[in-house]
Amino acid sequence: MSSQILHAAFGDPLNRLFTYVILGLAALSIVGIFARVGPLNRLAGAAPGLLTAIGVLGTFVGILTGLIGFDVSDITRSVPRLLDGMKTAFVTSVFGM
């Protein structure tokens, strides 16, 4: 991965939260594949849906945070905030998939 993608994933606290949750769930699921029994094995079976759901949640949270800071009367200052929210949206979508 390029350093820009890693910076996008770990630079902002909100992005960092979603990235850690997604990566942690993915790691536990990989362990669960080899566990054969128990809760981690069940988690591995549910992981694709959970990861996708967390990615979609991050998408909507990112769009929401971008739109909350958007002021149509001051578009010049609002666009960077909107783009930060869109960054969260896309980063969580990609990592969730």
Side-chain angles (χ1 to χ4, degrees):
M1 280 188 228
S2 75
S3 63
Q4 290 177 335
I5 294 172
L6 291 176
H7 179 68
F10 294 103
D12 181 72
L14 184 60
N15 294 3
R16 195 175 314 126
L17 171 69
F18 275 101
T19 301
Y20 283 141
V21 168
I22 289 169
L23 292 177
L25 180 60
L28 287 173
S29 299
I30 291 169
V31 170
I33 291 170
F34 299 105
R36 302 276 187 227
V37 293
L40 287 181
N41 187 260
R42 288 190 300 277
L43 177 66
L50 287 172
L51 289 169
T52 303
I54 293 169
V56 170
L57 176 65
T59 300
F60 286 113
V61 168
I63 292 170
L64 177 65
T65 59
L67 290 175
I68 284 175
F70 194 79
D71 181 10
V72 292
S73 63
D74 190 6
I75 293 178
T76 304
R77 290 187 190 169
S78 295
V79 169
R81 287 183 237 153
L82 178 64
L83 292 177
D84 280 340
M86 296 305 291
K87 189 185 306 182
T88 298
F90 283 106
V91 165
T92 57
S93 293
V94 168
F95 276 98
M97 291 293 174

